[in-house]
């Protein structure tokens, strides 16, 4: 049976089939979640794999091996930078989640770990990011009810975890 849960833990410690990197469009090592994923997966291997792919548009996702991570794969999803809601950020963020889930399903994966995409250095307001994230995941599970997918959101702070759990219950 499919599920969605929020855990307080580092995403690189998840033993899901895949974890999602909050990536930039150049698939370069960045700060925050992206920096931790590159470091823990192995910078050299991850950089080489991402260079071979080259680019990922906002709202899209690509997949690489997980290398040294417990997760077998890393799905690199590019969320939008926050522009006060003036540039279709919600639609782009929703797409980043659904593209990640679709990519996981097409690779036969049944568990996936997400950060709260775009809510770090990209500046997306956390409460609004949770709304989009939970809606995208719930809609994916509803539209793919014949496919088991366990979704875990990994966050590092209690208040962000509580906000996610509250959003999950309300939706």
């Amino acid at each position: 049976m499919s599920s969605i849960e929020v855990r307080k833990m580092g995403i690189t410690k998840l033993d899901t089939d895949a974890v999602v990197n909050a990536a930039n469009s150049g698939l370069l090592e960045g700060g925050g979640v992206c920096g931790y994923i590159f470091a823990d997966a192995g910078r050299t291997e991850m950089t080489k794999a991402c260079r071979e792919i080259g680019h990922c548009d906002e709202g899209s996702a690509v997949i690489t091996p997980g290398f040294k991570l417990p997760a077998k794969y890393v799905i690199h999803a590019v969320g939008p930078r926050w522009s006060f809601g003036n540039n279709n950020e919600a639609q782009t963020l929703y797409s980043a989640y659904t593209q990640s889930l679709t990519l996981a399903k097409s690779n036969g994966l049944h568990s996936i770990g997400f950060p709260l995409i775009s809510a770090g250095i990209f500046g997306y307001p956390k409460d609004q990011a949770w709304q989009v994230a939970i809606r995208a995941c719930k809609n994916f599970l509803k539209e793919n009810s014949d496919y088991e997918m366990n979704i875990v959101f990994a966050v590092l702070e209690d208040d962000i975890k509580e906000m996610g759990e509250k959003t999950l219950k309300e939706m």
Side-chain angles (χ1 to χ4, degrees):
M1 187 163 147
S2 294
S3 64
I4 303 174
E5 66 176 296
V6 183
R7 293 186 198 164
K8 182 182 175 187
M9 67 182 301
I11 196 162
T12 62
K13 305 301 182 224
L14 283 175
D15 63 352
T16 48
D17 293 336
V19 293
V20 176
N21 177 23
N24 53 66
S25 59
L27 301 175
L28 303 170
E29 181 177 359
V33 169
C34 185
Y36 286 113
I37 287 175
F38 269 72
D40 290 359
R43 281 188 173 91
T44 302
E45 298 93 331
M46 189 59 73
T47 299
K48 183 176 186 280
C50 287
R51 277 194 186 134
E52 288 173 6
I53 296 167
H55 179 83
C56 184
D57 292 331
E58 276 189 9
S60 294
V62 296
I63 192 168
T64 64
F67 300 107
K68 297 174 187 168
L69 295 174
K72 296 177 200 83
Y73 297 95
V74 174
I75 294 174
H76 305 265
V78 183
R81 292 184 185 277
W82 180 248
S83 298
F84 304 98
N86 297 322
N87 290 317
N88 298 316
E89 290 101 308
Q91 296 90 332
T92 304
L93 184 57
Y94 185 95
S95 179
Y97 281 102
T98 56
Q99 291 294 315
S100 297
L101 290 160
T102 300
L103 192 54
K105 180 182 175 185
S106 69
N107 280 275
L109 310 179
H110 291 278
S111 60
I112 188 169
F114 281 105
L116 190 56
I117 299 172
S118 289
I121 60 173
F122 281 15
Y124 210 108
K126 289 172 182 53
D127 59 336
Q128 293 179 50
W130 273 121
Q131 294 280 332
V132 173
I134 300 298
R135 184 169 30 94
C137 291
K138 284 195 168 207
N139 287 346
F140 177 86
L141 294 179
K142 184 177 177 184
E143 292 163 11
N144 295 275
S145 60
D146 61 331
Y147 191 83
E148 186 173 332
M149 182 65 75
N150 296 308
I151 300 167
V152 179
F153 284 92
V155 298
L156 297 175
E157 298 170 22
D158 287 324
D159 60 330
I160 298 171
K161 180 180 184 276
E162 290 167 14
M163 189 184 299
E165 290 172 334
K166 182 175 185 264
T167 305
L168 187 55
K169 284 179 189 168
E170 290 173 352
M171 296 180 79

